Structures are given as C-alpha cells and as structure tokens.
Amino acid sequence: MFRSLARRMSQPAQVFDIHPLQLSRWLDEAWTGGALVPDVGNTTTPAGTPFLGEPAIIGAIDLPLPSASGVPFPAPSGINPAVPDSFTGTPLGPPTPPLIDPGLVADHLVYAFLVESTGAFEVLAEVVRRLSVGETLNPITPAAHRWVRTTEELFFREPPLYSIQGVLSEVRPDQRVNRRNAYWRMFGLEPPHPVPARWLRPGVTDGAWKQDVGDGVNTSFKEKWTELLRQVWLGMENAKNGIGPNATDREYIASLCDALRDMMALRRRGGLLAREEFAYVSTLSWFHLTLEDNHPIVADLNAQGPGPAERLEKLAARVGMTPAPRSRELFELADLMSGLLRAIELSVFSSGPSVELLYLNLGTNTTLLTDMNKIIDLWQSATGERVKDRPSGSAQPLRLPAPSGGAAPPPNGVRASAPTGSPAPIGVLAGQNGHG
C-alpha cells in the first residue's frame, strides 16, 4: 500500500515526511477504494471479487460516507503529494489518469508473507528499538528521526481507535502471532525464522498461531503451487517442440489453477482475512519501501547498497542479526507471486487456452512469460524445491488436483465496473508488480 502511495509523490522518499496521523487515515481511504476489481479482459472470469470472499465486506466496516452537504468524513488524510508536509483537509483523491490504486487488488497476502520471510520486519524493529532506548547506533538526521517516529507510531503501538488497521486487541494481542496465523491458514506456511525471544509475550508458545484454526488451513497449498510451477516449466521446455511427444497438458495446468483458487476462496468465505490481509500487506510494504532505496535511515546507519537485500544485510549486521539467506530472491518474488495469485483467484487461468499464456509465446504475453520464468527460478532458489526436475513416472499424477479442507467455496459476488480502457490480462499482471 505504501509503495503505491510513494508512486504518487514526486520522490518516493517523501512518504516518510507525511505525518503518521495522515498515513493512518489514508489507509482507511485506501480500504474504501479497494472495492474495485479491474476488468482483466478475460471472458472466463466470473463476475465478482473472489479474493475478498464477500464483496460487501469493504462497505460493512469502512468509515461512514460524507454528508449530503459535502463535509468530508471524519479525519481525512489531507495528504498533498506535491507538498507532503502539509494538510489539505480532504481525502486523497484518485490519481490522474485513473490507476489500479491503491486498494486491495494491489497485493496478495503472499506478498506480506514473502517480505516478512526476509527478516526485514524484525531487523527494522530492532533498529527502531535501539534508536528509541539508547545510543548503540549512529546519531541520525532529522529525516531519519521522522522515519523512526512514524514507524513506531504506525506499527509498534496499539492502532488508533476504529482504524482499519485495528487487528490488535485483547482477543489477539500479538501482531507477530496474528500475521503468522493468517499465513498459516492461507498457505500452510510459516516464516523461516522464529519469533524473537525479546518479543515473545508471557504464555505465548512457539506455534501459537496454529491454535484454534480448526480445519481452516490450506495444508496442500505448497504442494499444488510447486506442481503448478513444475508443469508450467514443462510447457516452457516443450514450447518449441514441433516433432515428437509433448508432455504438456494445458487442461491439467488449468485444473491446478482452479484448485489453488478454490482453496484460497475457502479461507475467504464471508470476508474472512480481508481486513487482515489489508493490514498485513500495508505493514510489510512500509518496511519493503524503507529498503528499496538508500533512504535517510539507511544512509545514516551506513547501510547503503544496490538493492533491498544488501541494505537489509548491512542493517542486520549493525544490530547483531542475520536476515534470511535468500532474501534477495524473496524480495523479487513478492511482487511477481502476488500478481500471479491475484490472477489465479480471478479465474484468469481457468481454461486450457488461457493457461497457454503462461508458457507459449503468443506474441502478446512477452512480459508474462518473463515473469513466469522468474517466478520459477526464484521459487526454486528460495525454497530449494527442484521445480525444473521432471517427475518420476508420468508427467502428471493419476488424480486431478482438488482443494482440501472445508466445504466448496461460495459463488462470487458482483464485481464493480472497471475503468474505461481496462487492460488485457497481461497488462494487468504486469501493472500489479510493485503495487505494495
């Protein structure tokens, strides 16, 4: 979310100059703006917002509408992209020309999971802690002080009353456990690092995020996701095979996409995880944005580098920590995998002809082919899964894939009208990259 806002500024670093009160209110405005699902130009996509589970969830918990007199709703963000250290008194309007900005379509929960898996949250949490309680780090400039103040206000204290970020309370008091609970339910996956002992609350045991989830865990997500990548790679290998056998089965790939779509829809029934996904993606996008350039806090701590992974490694060394060994792959994978899973949830790849876009050069899908190849390479490198190895025996299992756990997903709701001139599926996927 904050990376979307950064693109509205004349310089991305100006986001860190906006007052935390304004940023908090802007998140409520962004939530309201998330009702729109773009027309991805695919006739097989059913009308609806499948990644929200319940189209009415946004209106059910957003701020009240402005009065008929035109008075804005309570506490507008008042953000002025031209002058970030100012207050306009009105909500931040849509960009011109209209873009997919900034709402829920921007990033999938997997984006938050992958960025969190780099260790960025914990390393920067320690940076904030040290700068707040002592003098074990360099003196920093006023610009870096702004970042520390805003980061602490937004992410390391109780959320403002009635904020859309208010996913922290007596019933779920630990933000790290809360995020891991969402990752576990949606993907059956956990970040590779444990919750640091410093932040463990009394009585919280390792694996607390797995309690009380019932049958609501997509335990077979990784298996089906890896199989999808393996089959797409098989298609890429055979793309130019004009003579001899071709083991590529486009209908089987479409079935894998449908199985992934349905298992994620199971976790979203009635709008479950919609608000949590928004809050957690927003949180991790702030830490990702911090590492995307040599911003003041990075420069002041002598952690400049060519990319987020290198900056994270240097910051971690300053506070006696170690990031994930494959953080570079995880950062690069976050945007790509987010866009692909959004498309899968929108049923973009639910037919044989549509899945061919993933592995055949049809003239209009060059960007998608490049992204798919990157996803396969990055996932294999980050996880150690040998995606490119041919499976033993048949290229495809005997049984078709199916979602696991829970009842069948509900029918989709009504999708909002798309902006005029909405792009084709390939353009939408490419445009989503980096929308955190």
Side-chain angles (χ1 to χ4, degrees):
M1 303 304 171
F2 290 107
R3 294 162 74 217
S4 293
L5 181 59
R7 278 189 292 276
R8 301 281 299 276
M9 318 302 290
S10 59
Q11 298 178 26
Q14 290 179 323
V15 167
F16 304 126
D17 295 330
I18 301 173
H19 194 279
L21 173 62
Q22 291 177 279
L23 291 173
S24 176
R25 302 319 291 166
W26 173 76
L27 287 174
D28 280 284
E29 296 166 12
W31 169 263
T32 302
L36 177 66
V37 175
D39 178 1
V40 296
N42 186 336
T43 56
T44 65
T45 303
T49 52
F51 51 82
L52 292 180
E54 169 52 63
I57 189 63
I58 289 180
I61 59 177
D62 66 357
L63 286 170
L65 295 173
S67 66
S69 63
V71 177
F73 55 76
S77 69
I79 293 174
N80 181 353
V83 188
D85 194 18
S86 65
F87 182 75
T88 65
T90 60
L92 179 63
T96 304
L99 301 172
I100 306 171
D101 181 77
L104 289 177
V105 70
D107 270 306
H108 195 278
L109 183 63
V110 77
Y111 167 87
F113 169 74
L114 291 168
V115 175
E116 177 135 14
S117 294
T118 67
F121 181 89
E122 302 302 348
V123 169
L124 290 170
E126 182 63 9
V127 168
V128 172
R129 190 191 72 82
R130 290 196 181 205
L131 289 170
S132 300
V133 304
E135 300 178 23
T136 60
L137 297 175
N138 299 358
I140 58 175
T141 59
H145 273 292
R146 276 194 175 190
W147 177 88
V148 172
R149 184 270 178 100
T150 301
T151 303
E152 184 176 15
E153 290 274 356
L154 289 179
F155 308 111
F156 296 106
R157 56 169 290 174
E158 294 289 332
L161 285 177
Y162 317 120
S163 167
I164 196 64
Q165 280 188 291
V167 288
L168 199 67
S169 69
E170 285 190 6
V171 300
R172 43 179 174 177
D174 191 299
Q175 61 169 320
R176 291 169 172 82
V177 170
N178 296 345
R179 290 199 302 272
R180 288 170 183 249
N181 171 269
Y183 304 150
W184 179 248
R185 290 160 63 189
M186 185 65 78
F187 311 117
L189 297 173
E190 306 170 75
H193 56 273
V195 176
R198 180 184 298 278
W199 306 113
L200 276 177
R201 291 171 175 264
V204 174
T205 58
D206 187 46
W209 47 90
K210 301 177 183 179
Q211 297 175 5
D212 303 320
V213 297
D215 295 329
V217 181
N218 288 333
T219 53
S220 64
F221 174 88
K222 184 179 180 181
E223 173 192 348
K224 291 181 173 61
W225 168 253
T226 303
E227 177 66 9
L228 172 64
L229 298 187
R230 182 175 289 113
Q231 293 300 323
V232 171
W233 177 252
L234 187 65
M236 290 180 173
E237 281 190 312
N238 288 282
K240 297 181 180 180
N241 186 5
I243 302 175
N246 187 334
T248 307
D249 186 341
R250 67 181 193 176
E251 298 301 333
Y252 176 61
I253 298 175
S255 295
L256 284 166
C257 290
D258 285 348
L260 287 167
R261 178 201 63 198
D262 291 347
M263 70 166 55
M264 289 186 284
L266 286 169
R267 303 286 76 80
R268 298 187 188 277
R269 286 175 291 180
L272 289 171
L273 291 178
R275 184 186 182 192
E276 288 76 10
E277 179 178 57
F278 181 88
Y280 304 153
V281 163
S282 299
T283 297
L284 272 300
S285 72
W286 176 267
F287 294 93
H288 191 180
L289 177 63
T290 299
L291 295 165
E292 281 198 304
D293 206 341
N294 295 315
H295 294 307
I297 187 63
V298 174
D300 287 358
L301 297 179
N302 299 320
Q304 297 94 326
E310 292 77 17
R311 298 180 190 110
L312 176 62
E313 184 175 9
K314 289 184 178 182
L315 285 170
R318 295 302 306 275
V319 296
M321 300 177 70
T322 304
R326 299 295 177 184
S327 58
R328 183 188 64 82
E329 288 94 323
L330 294 168
F331 277 123
E332 291 186 26
L333 188 60
D335 288 323
L336 296 169
M337 193 166 168
S338 172
L340 180 58
L341 286 186
R342 281 292 189 225
I344 288 173
E345 288 206 67
L346 286 168
S347 300
V348 172
F349 303 114
S350 289
S351 68
S354 65
V355 299
E356 288 184 342
L357 293 166
L358 298 173
Y359 58 85
L360 292 181
N361 188 346
L362 302 178
T364 60
N365 60 331
T366 303
T367 299
L368 180 58
L369 284 176
T370 301
D371 286 352
M372 278 305 308
N373 204 155
K374 286 182 179 178
I375 289 172
I376 292 168
D377 291 343
L378 291 167
W379 180 264
Q380 180 169 271
S381 180
T383 65
E385 295 277 348
R386 294 188 173 276
V387 176
K388 296 183 180 181
D389 286 357
R390 287 181 177 271
S392 59
S394 173
Q396 286 87 30
L398 179 64
R399 306 295 183 188
L400 288 175
S404 59
N412 296 317
V414 179
R415 181 172 59 201
S417 300
T420 304
S422 184
I426 308 310
V428 170
L429 283 173
Q432 283 183 6
N433 291 344
H435 259 265

